[in-house]
Amino acid sequence: MKVADFVEDTYNLFESFEKPDLATNIHHCDECRDHNDEVNRADRRDLSPEQVGTVCWGISSFLTPQAMGYYIPRLIELAVTGRNDKDGDPYMCLFLNQIGLNSGSEQFSLFSNEQRLAVRDSLEILKSNYLEILEEHCWEDEIDNAIIQWNS
């Protein structure tokens, strides 16, 4: 399957998630409020690498379960199409760190089995299409661990 077809199928698979009023728990901390303000202006297909952030300061760890369901197709798209984050580093590293290695997080509690398998499939695409980049950034062991985590 072509990556573009996989991406479109992923958007369709997660279409049941509507854009939430709040993307983060704004009462938790200043950082959550900042991330909410940054993200809430964007529709899922328009979320930019600048809004997604970097490995050190990214939105993925702060999204509510509803917001994660809404935005994950775009996060998957940025990863599997080899996009860079706002610092020019491969976004796939942030994706692997904040999503791939956290399959048991409450953020993913609303995902169906089919949606969880789509995340796993995105990790498989990263491994098959971008292993050299993952190795260059020392994520080659983590990609296998992430695939195993999302396999259930």
Side-chain angles (χ1 to χ4, degrees):
M1 174 185 282
K2 292 181 181 180
V3 171
D5 293 335
F6 172 76
V7 167
E8 198 56 39
D9 289 348
T10 301
Y11 276 103
N12 292 333
L13 182 62
F14 284 90
E15 71 185 357
S16 62
F17 285 93
E18 295 182 13
K19 185 177 180 183
D21 291 333
L22 297 172
T24 67
N25 177 0
I26 62 168
H27 304 294
H28 182 260
C29 64
D30 290 340
E31 191 171 4
C32 285
R33 276 189 297 284
D34 290 345
H35 284 303
N36 184 74
D37 292 345
E38 185 73 30
V39 170
N40 255 8
R41 290 176 264 153
D43 289 327
R44 91 173 93 205
R45 288 187 186 257
D46 298 327
L47 191 66
S48 71
E50 288 75 22
Q51 291 168 305
V52 172
T54 67
V55 171
C56 296
W57 202 81
I59 63 165
S60 304
S61 296
F62 298 93
L63 295 175
T64 65
Q66 178 67 30
M68 182 58 80
Y70 178 76
Y71 287 111
I72 195 141
R74 178 63 172 157
L75 302 177
I76 288 172
E77 178 182 13
L78 292 172
V80 300
T81 57
R83 297 284 302 271
N84 288 334
D85 68 16
K86 73 179 197 172
D87 286 345
D89 296 317
Y91 169 71
M92 67 187 75
C93 297
L94 171 63
F95 182 82
L96 182 55
N97 184 41
Q98 293 185 351
I99 293 172
L101 295 171
N102 292 293
S103 69
S105 170
E106 183 182 337
Q107 289 181 299
F108 310 111
S109 62
L110 299 178
F111 287 17
S112 69
N113 188 55
E114 187 178 16
Q115 291 165 333
R116 290 183 62 79
L117 292 176
V119 176
R120 189 239 16 232
D121 291 347
S122 72
L123 296 164
E124 292 276 4
I125 289 170
L126 293 180
K127 183 178 178 179
S128 65
N129 292 356
Y130 300 104
L131 186 57
E132 188 174 301
I133 292 172
L134 292 170
E135 288 172 342
E136 182 180 317
H137 292 275
C138 302
W139 290 96
E140 65 273 11
D141 293 334
E142 285 80 1
I143 191 70
D144 290 327
N145 293 334
I147 291 167
I148 291 167
Q149 280 189 33
W150 282 94
N151 210 25
S152 57

